Amino acid sequence: MSTSADTHDREEGLAFQPKFDASGLLTCVATDAGSGDVLMVAHMNEEALRKTIASGEAWYFSRSRNALWRKGESSGHTQRVVEMRMDCDQDAVWIKVEQTGAACHTGRRSCFYRAVRGGEGGPGLSLVDAERLFDPADVYRK
Amino acid sequence: MSTSADTHDREEGLAFQPKFDASGLLTCVATDAGSGDVLMVAHMNEEALRKTIASGEAWYFSRSRNALWRKGESSGHTQRVVEMRMDCDQDAVWIKVEQTGAACHTGRRSCFYRAVRGGEGGPGLSLVDAERLFDPADVYRK
């Protein structure tokens, strides 16, 4: 169990002490270094975090595929890391990236291509910035 | 188990179908509607998501306190939601907010007040935009 001294050190210190969750993962938010838009939210394990820092290219850990993954390794749509920030309790990182092409596997620049609208009968979605930059059927073809 | 038809519908459809994790949570990224900076990464359960949409103010679910939480209820540092976006697989939301004061419980505008630097001997952190807008000891005093 963490003590309040541990917490203070993790929040105020300059030591790199990533706090991985029970599955060994951090949350990572990638934003477009140019526009500031959020491109995607994904996860990094210790190895993905280490490789990202060492290479300056984004690596993630895919929970669905249970595998380390260099962003763009299938699609060519890589992410060059311009800056990495750590949050207060060191369980989330923010990377500002230069995105080649599209971040989303659906072909959109960002994964966040739908806005949530309130309304009678419950919330709904509407497309925003939803133009496809590539056709997933072409890019991920086996 | 989800089918590929379910996946297609969730990714391409306009129906609001949030995909909560095993703990009943979505990941939420809050960015500053003005600067575009990432302010914080937190979680929403179904009730927090519903209250956020209905009220236009950010509500979260605190995993450490196991409690619903209106952002700013202790500190007064509320978040007015300007826009909410859902990601491709509907397990993460991005809110652009007008932040009153500071988002971080440490008193900083953003939780991401430290940059990660690579280097010999391993990565380290350095302070960036780390000015405190309030003293947590005053704000969270019992």
Side-chain angles (χ1 to χ4, degrees):
Chain A
M1 188 163 165
S2 67
T3 65
S4 107
D6 290 339
T7 299
H8 183 270
D9 188 45
R10 193 182 289 267
E11 292 184 352
E12 299 299 330
L14 298 181
F16 180 69
Q17 302 180 65
K19 192 167 77 180
F20 298 98
D21 69 12
S23 305
L25 301 175
L26 291 181
T27 301
C28 177
V29 180
T31 63
D32 186 311
S35 68
D37 282 350
V38 177
L39 295 171
M40 58 189 283
V41 173
H43 294 85
M44 291 182 178
N45 64 358
E46 187 280 332
E47 188 176 2
L49 182 61
R50 187 160 35 81
K51 284 178 181 284
T52 300
I53 295 169
S55 69
E57 298 272 326
W59 286 73
Y60 296 104
F61 186 83
S62 166
R63 294 180 299 176
S64 56
R65 290 182 283 129
N66 199 39
L68 191 71
W69 156 56
R70 184 171 68 82
K71 179 67 183 164
E73 68 190 0
S74 301
S75 66
H77 296 173
T78 53
Q79 294 180 336
R80 195 178 77 77
V81 179
V82 175
E83 185 175 9
M84 177 182 276
R85 300 266 192 114
M86 183 66 91
D87 82 341
C88 47
D89 56 1
Q90 301 207 34
D91 68 355
V93 295
W94 165 23
I95 53 176
K96 300 183 192 180
V97 303
E98 287 176 355
Q99 174 71 56
T100 301
C104 186
H105 73 289
T106 67
R108 280 89 174 197
R109 176 80 176 169
S110 161
C111 295
F112 293 88
Y113 51 84
R114 290 172 298 185
V116 180
R117 314 286 188 202
E120 310 199 0
L125 304 177
S126 59
L127 294 171
V128 187
D129 302 332
E131 182 196 6
R132 284 183 204 275
L133 304 184
F134 68 79
D135 181 343
D138 292 339
V139 167
Y140 299 107
R141 167 188 330 207
K142 298 289 190 255
Chain B
M1 189 161 165
S2 67
T3 66
S4 103
D6 290 340
T7 299
H8 184 270
D9 188 46
R10 194 183 288 268
E11 291 184 351
E12 298 299 330
L14 299 181
F16 181 70
Q17 302 180 64
K19 192 166 77 179
F20 298 98
D21 69 11
S23 306
L25 301 175
L26 292 181
T27 301
C28 177
V29 180
T31 62
D32 187 310
S35 68
D37 283 349
V38 177
L39 295 171
M40 57 189 284
V41 173
H43 294 85
M44 291 183 178
N45 64 357
E46 187 280 334
E47 187 176 2
L49 182 60
R50 186 160 36 82
K51 284 178 182 283
T52 299
I53 295 170
S55 68
E57 297 271 327
W59 287 72
Y60 297 104
F61 185 83
S62 166
R63 293 180 300 176
S64 57
R65 288 182 284 130
N66 198 39
L68 191 72
W69 156 56
R70 183 170 69 81
K71 179 68 184 165
E73 69 189 2
S74 302
S75 65
H77 296 174
T78 53
Q79 295 180 335
R80 195 178 77 77
V81 179
V82 174
E83 185 175 10
M84 177 183 277
R85 301 267 192 114
M86 183 67 90
D87 82 340
C88 47
D89 56 1
Q90 301 207 33
D91 69 354
V93 295
W94 166 23
I95 53 175
K96 299 182 192 181
V97 304
E98 287 175 354
Q99 173 70 56
T100 301
C104 186
H105 74 288
T106 67
R108 279 88 174 199
R109 177 79 176 169
S110 161
C111 294
F112 293 88
Y113 50 85
R114 290 172 297 185
V116 180
R117 314 285 187 202
E120 310 199 0
L125 304 177
S126 58
L127 294 170
V128 187
D129 302 332
E131 182 197 4
R132 284 182 203 275
L133 304 183
F134 68 79
D135 181 342
D138 292 339
V139 167
Y140 299 107
R141 169 190 324 209
K142 297 288 188 252

